[in-house]
Amino acid sequence: MKLATLRSGGDGRLLVVSRNLQRAAIAEAAPTLQAALDDWERVEPALRAEADRIENGTAESFAVEPEALDAVLPRGFQFLDASAFLAHNHILSDAWGFEKRGEREPPLMYQGISHRYFGPRETIRFPRAAHDVDFEAEIGVITDAVAQGVSAKAALAHVRLIIVINDWSLRAFGPAEMKGGFGFIHAKPPSSMSAFAATPDELGDAWRDGRVHLPLRVWRGDASFGHPHGSAMHFGFGELIAHAAATRDLCAGTVIGSGTVANHDAEEVGSGCIAERRALDALAGRSATAYLRDGERVRLALGEGGEALLGTLDQIVRIRDND
């Protein structure tokens, strides 16, 4: 089952969408995605019945207009973003000389902004180029309510939807905020979220072990920037959810991000963010890749070849330098 949200202010209006993302119908079982997640056990069967009617042509549906769609979850109660790909940490460590994360250490995770998520076709505005504007290509999940102390194995049963996230970063602020130890404020503006979300079964064999075994393709302008593979995730989503819920309950609608999708062979497959590319540049003795400039276009899509299983995040960056 695939879902989307029609932009109409606030939490929008929940849509049930065909598998090929071409047709949609206003959901009858719940008005918004958050309402559906709050009562998922009751609502999910009705939503699946609506999805079946769209597929067999018996639902009153309409053509999907991507520009009319918001982030599938326009705003939520909690966004917890991890760094689950050790390759990303190790590449940066090799370049900048800090200590690598060990395989047995707990995952890194911070609490990000969740009061809004940028839509997948929304123009993204930043104040200054000197803030070093970067994208971060991530896979995410949305959970239902999770009890404190859940095990990693049991946590996977709480994964209700899979999404794509662009976790925008202002790199100039990162080092000082990390040194302070209280988490990110200036370095992490709101993230962008895919227009579509899919239940795990929609991915078939590509969803296993709490990981999405598909490439996340990234373009900067018209050029491919990378296609790192989600299977390289060191910590699966079950482990991430369990880590997040170790001392607290997680509310329905919690978003868990994977962190930048990264592979150890990044020189061949490319990267999911500019900071990683700059680290590779440093290791190879190349000139550093520039951070984003005003007017640049960034696109993300999950899937093999020409697939975009959750649509394409296709966004223009506007930077208002006011020095």
Side-chain angles (χ1 to χ4, degrees):
M1 177 173 63
K2 294 184 178 181
L3 303 173
T5 292
L6 185 67
R7 186 183 297 108
S8 62
D11 295 322
R13 190 68 175 88
L14 183 62
L15 303 178
V16 183
V17 184
S18 62
R19 288 189 172 92
N20 64 8
L21 309 181
Q22 299 300 304
R23 306 290 300 177
I26 299 292
E28 298 175 2
T32 66
L33 181 55
Q34 184 62 55
L37 291 162
D38 286 338
D39 195 13
W40 190 258
E41 293 297 328
R42 183 186 65 82
V43 170
E44 182 191 19
L47 291 175
R48 286 189 178 275
E50 293 180 47
D52 290 342
R53 290 196 294 273
I54 292 173
E55 294 299 327
N56 63 31
T58 61
E60 186 176 335
S61 65
F62 51 87
V64 170
E65 296 181 11
E67 293 76 11
L69 301 180
D70 207 337
V72 65
L73 184 69
R75 57 183 179 177
F77 294 113
Q78 187 161 230
F79 174 40
L80 299 170
D81 199 23
S83 182
F85 289 85
L86 284 188
H88 179 67
N89 171 270
H90 290 181
I91 290 168
L92 269 61
S93 299
D94 286 341
W96 312 127
F98 57 82
E99 188 175 354
K100 293 181 179 179
R101 296 287 295 178
E103 292 189 0
R104 296 185 180 276
E105 293 184 77
L108 293 172
M109 185 175 285
Y110 76 93
Q111 185 145 358
I113 293 173
S114 59
H115 72 277
R116 71 166 301 189
Y117 297 102
F118 292 125
R121 299 296 178 98
E122 195 168 343
T123 297
I124 312 300
R125 303 182 185 279
F126 300 102
R128 298 186 182 182
H131 293 165
D132 295 342
V133 180
D134 198 357
F135 51 84
E136 291 194 57
E138 303 190 12
I139 299 166
V141 300
I142 306 177
T143 73
D144 61 6
V146 181
Q148 177 186 324
V150 70
S151 70
K153 182 178 180 180
L156 284 178
H158 294 281
V159 173
R160 296 311 188 187
L161 296 166
I162 297 168
I163 55 174
V164 174
I165 298 169
N166 188 340
D167 180 41
W168 300 100
S169 292
L170 302 180
R171 299 293 188 185
F173 296 107
E177 291 190 327
M178 285 187 284
K179 185 177 180 180
F182 256 38
F184 297 117
I185 297 295
H186 298 143
K188 291 293 186 178
S191 297
S192 298
M193 186 182 292
S194 53
F196 304 99
T199 50
D201 59 286
E202 282 291 332
L203 273 61
D205 289 341
W207 173 254
R208 59 185 188 275
D209 305 321
R211 295 163 175 83
V212 175
H213 292 252
L214 291 168
L216 183 53
R217 293 174 293 127
V218 185
W219 295 266
R220 181 178 184 177
D222 293 329
S224 172
F225 197 85
H227 53 275
H229 209 275
S231 61
M233 197 175 177
H234 179 69
F235 301 102
F237 280 108
E239 294 167 286
L240 297 183
I241 295 167
H243 178 76
T247 60
R248 61 169 112 174
D249 297 336
L250 304 182
C251 62
T254 293
V255 175
I256 305 286
S258 68
T260 303
V261 179
N263 296 168
H264 284 289
D265 58 345
E267 281 285 15
E268 287 72 44
V269 303
S271 297
C273 71
I274 298 171
E276 184 177 295
R277 176 69 61 83
R278 288 168 66 93
L280 293 169
D281 292 338
L283 291 169
R286 299 186 294 256
S287 297
T289 300
Y291 286 113
L292 290 171
R293 305 179 180 90
D294 181 59
E296 288 203 71
R297 181 186 185 193
V298 178
R299 289 178 290 153
L300 310 180
L302 181 69
E304 302 279 1
E307 290 181 323
L309 297 177
L310 301 176
T312 301
L313 281 81
D314 187 349
Q315 301 182 297
I316 301 295
V317 170
R318 304 303 307 188
I319 299 175
R320 186 191 69 253
D321 273 303
N322 53 7
D323 290 329

